[in-house]
Amino acid sequence: MMTRRRANSGILATAAVAGVSAKGAPPMLEPRELPAPQTSGGMPLMAALKLRHSTREYSERSLREVTVSNLLWAAFGINRSSGDRTAPYWRHIMVIDVYVAMADGVWLYEPKAHALLPYLSSDIRAQTGTQDFVSTAPLNLIYVAHGERMQDIPPTDRRLYASVDTGFIGQNVYLFCASEGLVTVFRGAVDYQKLAGAMKLPDQQFVTFAQTVGYPRD
Ligand SMILES: Cc1cc2nc3c(=O)[nH]c(=O)nc-3n(C[C@H](O)[C@H](O)[C@H](O)COP(=O)(O)O)c2cc1C
């Protein structure tokens, strides 16, 4: 029987060969298998809800790998053997990808392998939003929708459903951050054209929102 790690390395190898990186991107970073998420513990739900809030002042301190792992699992990881996720999604069609912009580049969260696949090797944090803190906060999530998977509905509806899917993920991130002493803000103040350009997104894909995560400024 194939172990989870072997299965994962298969996915990672395939992803690397398939060129998950943007067209024309410089030589790739290696895929990063994340530590297994810690899916027990944390704060009681009602306590986390009491603490949930948006923050616009961040420390530059980077997040530990285990924290990134837990964050991404909470955001939109797989929580059942069916492969379904911690957030609900439209028509059971996987429309949203979660990208992670950090100082060392942009990574695509791959929930099956629970890994980060290299996407861009440049620091585009400053381009993930129009507010100053985005360039120095350690991590910005970028939510990208696959419009080509929503062909049978009009473009305005595509944005609507993709935004709703994203909102559920965003709230998972808020609650995780509240529970872990991290801070976050869900963001629509994004220059969408500029960010799509920086990410070299294919025509049919579009950014719905972004979300900054980090530690509070001291
Ligand atoms: C769809 C949406 C877009 C948002 N966009 C931004 C944004 O671009 N920048 C920002 O600082 N906050 C943004 N926020 C956060 C709201 O300003 C914030 O949730 C609201 O002021 C209430 O504050 P609280 O989250 O601390 O309760 C957004 C929230 C939502 C739901």
Side-chain angles (χ1 to χ4, degrees):
M1 196 173 78
M2 190 183 271
T3 62
R4 178 154 181 256
R5 181 168 283 274
R6 273 187 64 201
N8 286 353
S9 22
I11 291 168
L12 297 183
T14 310
V17 171
V20 171
S21 62
K23 287 185 206 107
M28 300 300 304
L29 305 163
E30 290 297 311
R32 268 166 61 183
E33 203 169 338
L34 293 165
Q38 298 159 329
T39 58
S40 59
M43 195 177 268
L45 175 63
M46 298 306 250
L49 282 166
K50 275 181 85 171
L51 291 177
R52 188 218 65 82
H53 69 284
S54 299
T55 293
R56 296 169 190 85
E57 295 192 340
Y58 292 82
S59 155
E60 293 184 20
R61 181 178 153 205
S62 50
L63 300 176
R64 292 163 60 216
E65 196 167 49
V66 67
T67 306
V68 175
S69 166
N70 295 342
L71 165 72
L72 291 170
W73 183 83
F76 207 32
I78 292 175
N79 70 352
R80 281 159 285 170
S81 54
S82 60
D84 286 308
R85 306 294 185 86
T86 55
Y89 54 101
W90 176 77
R91 270 203 206 161
H92 212 241
I93 297 172
M94 194 53 64
V95 165
I96 301 295
D97 279 332
V98 180
Y99 288 82
V100 184
M102 299 186 283
D104 64 358
V106 181
W107 304 79
L108 170 63
Y109 176 49
E110 209 303 301
K112 284 200 187 84
H114 194 63
L116 287 175
L117 305 182
Y119 186 75
L120 287 176
S121 51
S122 49
D123 180 359
I124 66 157
R125 286 176 298 168
Q127 289 149 83
T128 67
T130 58
Q131 293 163 286
D132 285 347
F133 60 81
V134 304
S135 60
T136 51
L139 186 151
N140 289 283
L141 299 170
I142 307 166
Y143 302 116
V144 174
H146 286 265
E148 79 282 4
R149 297 179 189 167
M150 311 173 96
Q151 294 284 5
D152 60 333
I153 58 169
T156 46
D157 287 355
R158 287 179 210 165
R159 187 162 281 282
L160 171 68
Y161 292 120
S163 297
V164 172
D165 283 10
T166 307
F168 281 109
I169 300 170
Q171 179 72 346
N172 283 353
V173 171
Y174 268 108
L175 292 176
F176 174 79
C177 289
S179 171
E180 294 299 310
L182 298 169
V183 286
T184 186
V185 62
F186 189 81
R187 296 188 287 101
V190 171
D191 182 334
Y192 287 95
Q193 219 175 344
K194 187 164 138 192
L195 182 53
M199 292 184 74
K200 304 182 173 72
L201 288 182
D203 279 351
Q204 299 269 338
Q205 293 185 24
F206 58 93
V207 174
T208 55
F209 291 94
Q211 186 162 8
T212 304
V213 176
Y215 293 100
R217 197 154 77 191
D218 306 321

